[in-house]
């Protein structure tokens, strides 16, 4: 592993994936080079010029979740998904501890691409804190999960 000369890692517009099972941060750089760093060796991560965090989209029969944009975000993010038939879609948002904080619904959602905005408010209309949040998109019997990052 390369010796890092700084106390933090600066990621310039790259995609990253944290694999909690192996406790390794895998960084795919724009030039397709891969860097692997043990999580316990990381002291601080500073993000600069990051416009999105991409995760692979799971292909499903009737539901495809593109993710949310922008991600990371500050005031609002848009959760984008595509459905194959008209139906009801629920987006359930969880905090980092797994507690449900909000539920967004699209009743009789149209076929194709749809977007549900989230304004960073919980069920009680309180603004949530900066951090990592997870959401599930539910359509019929299908459920897909993604993560998003709120920064202030």
């Amino acid at each position: 592993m390369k010796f890092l000369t700084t106390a933090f890692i600066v990621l310039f517009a790259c995609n990253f994936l944290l694999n909690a099972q192996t406790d390794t941060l895998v960084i795919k750089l724009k030039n397709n080079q891969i860097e692997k760093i043990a999580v316990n060796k990381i002291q601080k991560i500073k993000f600069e010029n990051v416009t999105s965090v991409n995760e692979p989209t799971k292909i499903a029969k009737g539901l495809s979740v593109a993710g949310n944009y922008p991600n990371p975000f500050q005031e609002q993010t848009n959760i984008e998904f595509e459905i194959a038939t008209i139906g009801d879609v629920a987006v359930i948002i969880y905090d980092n501890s797994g507690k449900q904080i909000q539920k967004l619904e699209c009743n009789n959602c149209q076929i194709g691409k749809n977007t549900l905005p989230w304004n960073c408010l919980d069920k009680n209309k309180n603004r949530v804190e900066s951090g990592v949040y997870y959401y599930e998109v539910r359509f019929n019997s299908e459920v897909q999960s993604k993560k998003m990052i709120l920064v202030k």
Side-chain angles (χ1 to χ4, degrees), residues 108-127:
N108 293 317
C109 252
Q110 297 302 305
I111 294 172
K113 289 185 181 181
N114 292 274
T115 303
L116 284 176
W118 181 46
N119 58 3
C120 305
L121 300 180
D122 65 13
K123 292 183 214 177
N124 300 319
K125 300 191 183 339
N126 296 316
R127 179 142 170 91

Side-chain angles (χ1 to χ4, degrees), residues 6-146:
T6 60
F8 60 90
I9 301 167
V10 179
L11 305 175
F12 294 96
C14 68
N15 300 326
F16 72 98
L17 171 66
L18 177 61
N19 184 341
Q21 292 178 343
T22 60
D23 295 328
T24 302
L25 178 68
V26 178
I27 304 169
K28 182 178 179 184
L29 303 172
K30 288 180 99 175
N31 64 2
N32 290 326
Q33 185 177 0
I34 303 291
E35 288 287 332
K36 295 182 180 181
I37 303 164
V39 171
N40 62 357
K41 302 288 184 191
I42 299 171
Q43 295 175 359
K44 180 178 181 181
I45 297 177
K46 181 179 178 183
F47 297 95
E48 293 182 2
N49 301 323
V50 177
T51 57
S52 68
V53 176
N54 297 323
E55 294 181 5
T57 301
K58 181 179 175 185
I59 303 301
K61 293 179 185 176
L63 172 67
S64 176
V65 178
N68 65 297
Y69 63 90
N71 191 21
F73 58 98
Q74 291 181 344
E75 299 294 324
Q76 177 176 307
T77 190
N78 299 295
I79 300 168
E80 186 176 290
F81 56 91
E82 189 170 344
I83 55 175
T85 60
I86 293 174
D88 297 337
V89 175
V91 176
I92 302 169
I93 301 171
Y94 302 92
D95 65 15
N96 204 23
S97 70
K99 178 183 172 190
Q100 181 180 333
I101 59 165
Q102 184 59 277
K103 182 176 182 179
L104 310 172
E105 295 180 300
C106 179
N107 296 317
N108 293 317
C109 252
Q110 297 302 305
I111 294 172
K113 289 185 181 181
N114 292 274
T115 303
L116 284 176
W118 181 46
N119 58 3
C120 305
L121 300 180
D122 65 13
K123 292 183 214 177
N124 300 319
K125 300 191 183 339
N126 296 316
R127 179 142 170 91
V128 298
E129 297 296 319
S130 294
V132 176
Y133 291 86
Y134 300 89
Y135 62 95
E136 292 178 340
V137 180
R138 296 180 179 193
F139 177 68
N140 294 334
S141 62
E142 296 181 55
V143 178
Q144 291 186 30
S145 300
K146 298 272 187 181

